[in-house]
Amino acid sequence: MEMIHRYERFFLGSTLVILAIGLVAVISSFFVNDLELPSPVETIDPAELASTPPFDNPGVFQVGENEYDAVITAQSWAFVPGVIQVPAGSKVNFKIGSVDVVHGLIVHGTNVNLTIIPGQVAEATATFDEPGEFLFVCSEYCGILHHNMAGRVIVN
Amino acid sequence: MTIAADAPQSRGAHPVYDMEGMDHSSAVEMEDARLSVFPKAQTRPVLWNVLLAMVALMLGGLPGIGQALERVGINLYNNDVVTAVLDENAAYYQGLTLHGVLLVIVFTFTFANGFITLATMRAYGRPMASTLMVQLAFALALLGTVLAGWTMLANEATVLFTFYPPLEAHTMFYLGAVLLVISTWVTLANIVMTHRQWAAANPGTRTPLMAFMAIMTYAMWAMASVGIAAEVLLLILPWKFGWTEGIDAQLARTLFWLTGHPIVYFWLLPAYISWYTMIPKQAGGRLFSDPVARFVFILFLLLSTPVGFHHQYTESGIPQWMKNIHGIATFAIFFPSMITAFSVVSALENGGRNRGGRGLFGWIWKLPWGNPALTAQLHAMLIFTLGGASGLINASQTVNLVVHNTAFIVGHFHMTIGAVALAYIGIAYWLIPYLTGNNLWGRKLALWQSWLWFVGMLLFARGQISAGLQGVPRRTAFADSVYRDFIDGLDVPNMLTAIGGSMMGLSGLFIFIVVVGTMMGLAVKNKEQLITVAETRVGATKRIWPWLDNYRMWVGIAILLVALAYIPFLVTYVPDGSSAVGAPFDLY
């Protein structure tokens, strides 16, 4: 007795093939585009964050020929600093921590998408090849003025 | 095997699948599943649950209209009527919290408790083991709704339905959520007790398919809801009471999402139970295969939970290799839904051909599109197909970096939970008449309701998906934001969102009118109605794959998989106190 009809077998087989192709595509996209997901950096007591290097002195720091560290603290409801200026062609390492609740960081025009959990330092890197202004916004609800938490990357 | 039609009109090129000589012995023996065969003391709470679900749907839907219109600059949250109810400074997010909690917790839990309780009675052909527990489940859900609702309306819990610490809500908000979860556990216990009574009276008989699915659904959810229970009872409440110095936000989120993904399947599976076991007969056909349907529900039990990290790809507290495991498991959970797509559509095709449909697609138009209960669920299936497919996009880790926490996600999950809601509404279109003895009133209006929801939901979701790809964050009062004029290409998406949302609002009004009219008995009273249960083509006896019914084994494997998925994180993530947050934050 045939438990699974041949039409059904064909349908399920196709599904498995589609899923396998999708999985291979996702895995290869990590290597092709040189991507990585946010991973553990370090933990800092949020109450101590503002007095712990490097977050005691947020700002943009040149660390290589075309490379900058953007050290940012997130708090309700602002990023400090709110404006990040770098020359075109710069690689920017975003280092960010929260002093209060959970925030998020989405930098437009890049693949930077971080959840900033109090206690967890978060890092992501993007390269800005073209001059222009790139908005960054808080992407996690953090209180009633969440929608005003934003900043800009200005690429000269 | 020969292929023949149930009715003689099939043609060779597009045969109806029928298997002569197959076992057709599925549970239709209880033809007289009239309401009066079940104790009123049990069917009344079922109706109360359904009505509470409808109230939550109406009240939870209202803020949704405001959110959709806000995208095109029509801000209802400044309106005097609205600010008389909601806090004038927090109105948008307060409304968003109400929208989330009422729709994805209250509406879904109460409807599932009511509908699955009745389905269990119907499947076993006997009352629930405990009348008290049927009533208790409703009372707990009602009390939980009142507590959570009160704190949300008082602006004491404007934390959205995810309530991520260290955002802080009123203690009664958490207690309300816990009571709602406990109401589902009570329902599970009652289902299991009823199963045992039935099994003792029917030794050697296979569990009826519908009852098997009910057990699997609630077993999956009971296991999964341990995460949220632990988050509230072990982390949040001790922190609220000052027993612990701080709360670890990363750990709390991880426990939340241990429950937060499978909760989607807890909403979905009652709709699947309807699609597998009731829709085929309502469409005039039979279900393809009983054992394959059982296998699907087992896969949901096994795979719904060890996938939570796919909601946490952007969180830096979890190593990538752990996220990879959950990512692959997420692809696997797509599989049972694809089997479902095949089984349900083949049953519909069977129905359409039995009703005289011909050709490759001719059967589609022969389905009973004039029946609101069926039409709403057909629309729900179409919406959910897109919801599931967009979910696979979110689960793809690298693509997730583009869409995570943007409006894209809002577009996605409105096509999953929005489809489930429409399926529940479709079920309610026969369930409320069944439970009250009143005919459905306003059938035309109910049909319009379904079409409006269907088109409105797709337009809304399309608008949100486009907006998300332009970088609009989710859960944001966009029109008030400082950056609303600095994101390009939003005119059309925002318009689609507003039009779609308004259509769903109108659809909601139609639901209200139809349900109230039906409850008031405006339509002619009908003779007692039956609950339809589909026959299956491949039968339901012990002979076929008896290992499918080994509950202990499957639950054991499910727990093992959850342990494998979460123990690496739980043992390596040592909150040394340094990541704990000292004091509660009160930001509303």
Side-chain angles (χ1 to χ4, degrees):
Chain A
M1 189 157 35
E2 201 180 4
M3 276 328 116
I4 303 180
H5 193 276
R6 63 177 189 277
Y7 289 180
E8 189 165 29
R9 271 202 300 248
F10 173 77
F11 189 84
L12 298 186
S14 319
T15 302
L16 287 176
V17 170
I18 291 167
L19 287 175
I21 292 171
L23 210 50
V24 169
V26 170
I27 293 166
S28 0
S29 68
F30 273 108
F31 299 105
V32 174
N33 299 305
D34 193 23
L35 290 168
E36 52 185 326
L37 295 181
S39 290
V41 182
E42 60 177 319
T43 58
I44 299 179
D45 184 340
E48 308 282 319
L49 189 89
S51 55
T52 307
F55 296 98
D56 56 344
N57 181 25
V60 186
F61 306 95
Q62 188 160 14
V63 292
E65 198 182 341
N66 289 315
E67 191 172 350
Y68 295 82
D69 278 359
V71 178
I72 304 171
T73 57
Q75 60 196 60
S76 300
W77 294 279
F79 293 106
V80 181
V83 176
I84 291 165
Q85 293 215 37
V86 290
S90 301
K91 181 178 170 191
V92 179
N93 308 313
F94 293 89
K95 297 188 175 184
I96 188 162
S98 166
V99 301
D100 43 42
V101 296
V102 181
H103 299 281
L105 176 72
I106 291 180
V107 184
H108 286 190
T110 72
N111 289 321
V112 174
N113 193 334
L114 293 169
T115 304
I116 308 150
I117 296 169
Q120 298 283 340
V121 175
E123 282 188 7
T125 296
T127 302
F128 295 88
D129 288 326
E130 301 292 327
E133 276 195 26
F134 299 88
L135 188 67
F136 58 85
V137 298
C138 176
S139 59
E140 189 77 86
Y141 171 71
C142 55
I144 59 171
L145 290 180
H146 156 61
H147 47 273
N148 285 346
M149 189 166 167
R152 287 172 298 163
V153 179
I154 298 174
V155 183
N156 299 308
Chain B
M1 189 188 75
T2 55
I3 291 185
D6 287 351
Q9 63 276 0
S10 89
R11 294 192 303 186
H14 310 293
V16 181
Y17 332 110
D18 191 67
M19 302 176 187
E20 268 179 25
M22 285 291 179
D23 181 6
H24 291 176
S25 66
S26 54
V28 283
E29 68 277 7
M30 206 181 128
E31 270 299 351
D32 60 342
R34 290 165 292 124
L35 186 68
S36 51
V37 303
F38 302 120
K40 263 211 161 77
Q42 295 190 0
T43 54
R44 262 198 235 106
V46 169
L47 178 64
W48 299 338
N49 268 311
V50 173
L51 294 180
L52 180 57
M54 291 296 145
V55 170
L57 178 65
M58 293 299 112
L59 296 180
L62 284 176
I65 303 168
Q67 290 150 34
L69 292 177
E70 199 254 8
R71 302 291 132 155
V72 290
I74 302 171
N75 193 346
L76 298 182
Y77 293 101
N78 292 334
N79 187 287
D80 290 344
V81 180
V82 174
T83 50
V85 181
L86 302 179
D87 182 272
E88 59 181 319
N89 295 318
Y92 183 91
Y93 297 108
Q94 206 185 345
L96 193 54
T97 307
L98 284 160
H99 185 66
V101 171
L102 288 177
L103 293 185
V104 306
I105 299 179
V106 177
F107 168 65
T108 48
F109 284 20
T110 50
F111 192 91
N113 282 348
F115 174 55
I116 298 302
T117 297
L118 187 70
T120 303
M121 289 194 251
R122 171 64 184 87
Y124 289 125
R126 60 189 302 136
M128 297 301 283
S130 165
T131 301
L132 181 68
M133 282 164 74
V134 177
Q135 295 163 339
L136 179 66
F138 173 75
L140 288 170
L142 181 64
L143 183 59
T145 305
V146 169
L147 290 179
W150 160 57
T151 56
M152 287 187 289
L153 282 174
N155 196 29
E156 293 283 340
T158 302
V159 291
L160 310 190
F161 88 91
T162 45
F163 56 86
Y164 295 134
L167 282 179
E168 189 200 1
H170 196 284
T171 304
M172 289 302 154
F173 174 80
Y174 303 113
L175 194 62
V178 166
L179 290 178
L180 279 154
V181 171
I182 292 176
S183 79
T184 64
W185 293 350
V186 171
T187 304
L188 170 68
N190 210 359
I191 293 171
V192 171
M193 284 158 55
T194 311
H195 172 78
R196 292 218 169 129
Q197 283 186 353
W198 169 88
N202 298 274
T205 313
R206 180 164 234 181
T207 312
L209 180 61
M210 199 154 69
F212 179 88
M213 291 173 161
I215 293 171
M216 285 297 167
T217 301
Y218 268 78
M220 180 279 294
W221 168 246
M223 179 182 74
S225 55
V226 167
I228 210 168
E231 185 201 4
V232 171
L233 300 177
L234 301 180
L235 296 180
I236 291 178
L237 289 180
W239 164 66
K240 283 282 296 178
F241 297 148
W243 299 340
T244 53
E245 273 191 27
I247 186 159
D248 191 276
Q250 178 71 72
L251 184 62
R253 285 172 78 89
T254 304
L255 290 173
F256 179 86
W257 284 112
L258 194 155
T259 304
H261 191 72
I263 200 175
V264 178
Y265 294 100
F266 183 53
W267 309 330
L268 177 63
L269 293 184
Y272 273 15
I273 291 176
S274 166
W275 297 355
Y276 268 105
T277 66
M278 297 171 179
I279 283 284
K281 190 159 185 183
Q282 288 168 5
R286 285 183 293 154
L287 176 63
F288 200 85
S289 162
D290 175 294
V292 169
R294 282 172 206 259
F295 186 58
V296 164
F297 272 69
I298 288 167
L299 286 179
F300 279 120
L301 170 71
L302 299 183
L303 296 173
S304 293
T305 313
V307 294
F309 290 171
H310 76 235
H311 291 258
Q312 302 180 282
Y313 286 154
T314 63
E315 293 175 18
S316 48
I318 303 170
Q320 171 143 1
W321 69 270
M322 296 183 194
K323 293 172 181 166
N324 292 347
I325 293 171
H326 286 230
I328 292 167
T330 309
F331 272 65
I333 190 74
F334 199 66
F335 190 61
S337 271
M338 289 303 282
I339 307 180
T340 302
F342 180 89
S343 297
V344 173
V345 174
S346 79
L348 290 173
E349 182 186 353
N350 178 228
R353 292 195 189 286
N354 285 342
R355 296 167 62 90
R358 287 162 175 273
L360 195 54
F361 298 115
W363 56 271
I364 296 172
W365 319 117
K366 291 289 180 184
L367 292 171
W369 287 97
N371 174 359
L374 187 82
T375 298
Q377 294 189 70
L378 292 175
H379 284 149
M381 291 168 196
L382 291 170
I383 299 172
F384 188 77
T385 306
L386 296 171
S390 56
L392 210 52
I393 295 173
N394 309 339
S396 304
Q397 289 152 311
T398 46
V399 188
N400 187 268
L401 290 176
V402 180
V403 300
H404 183 81
N405 266 0
T406 69
F408 184 99
I409 304 299
V410 183
H412 154 70
F413 70 71
H414 276 79
M415 293 192 294
T416 57
I417 179 63
V420 167
L422 185 55
Y424 285 8
I425 293 158
I427 294 166
Y429 284 157
W430 66 258
L431 187 57
I432 295 177
Y434 174 83
L435 290 166
T436 58
N438 298 339
N439 255 0
L440 186 70
W441 181 81
R443 288 177 71 91
K444 278 249 164 67
L445 204 58
L447 283 172
W448 273 103
Q449 179 277 316
S450 182
W451 282 100
L452 270 174
W453 187 288
F454 173 59
V455 177
M457 183 63 78
L458 293 181
L459 293 180
F460 171 88
R462 185 65 181 78
Q464 290 286 291
I465 281 173
S466 294
L469 293 176
Q470 298 294 330
V472 174
R474 68 185 283 198
R475 304 177 138 186
T476 300
F478 185 71
D480 287 340
S481 72
V482 289
Y483 45 79
R484 66 174 176 191
D485 297 325
F486 295 96
I487 302 177
D488 294 330
L490 290 182
D491 290 347
V492 175
N494 284 342
M495 194 55 81
L496 290 174
T497 297
I499 293 172
S502 306
M503 289 173 75
M504 280 189 282
L506 190 59
S507 179
L509 177 67
F510 288 1
I511 297 168
F512 180 76
I513 296 171
V514 170
V515 170
V516 169
T518 305
M519 288 303 299
M520 288 169 64
L522 296 184
V524 209
K525 289 224 172 202
N526 201 7
K527 66 176 166 54
E528 276 196 289
Q529 300 176 19
L530 305 177
I531 303 176
T532 56
V533 177
E535 289 179 72
T536 54
R537 292 151 176 250
V538 179
T541 61
K542 268 279 194 230
R543 279 176 295 146
I544 304 171
W545 300 351
W547 44 268
L548 288 173
D549 285 33
N550 191 337
Y551 298 103
R552 280 189 193 166
M553 176 177 79
W554 294 122
V555 170
I557 295 175
I559 291 171
L560 183 70
L561 289 177
V562 176
L564 287 174
Y566 276 96
I567 281 179
F569 174 81
L570 293 174
V571 300
T572 56
Y573 184 80
V574 187
D576 53 3
S578 65
S579 61
V581 174
F585 284 88
D586 190 349
L587 293 174
Y588 37 82

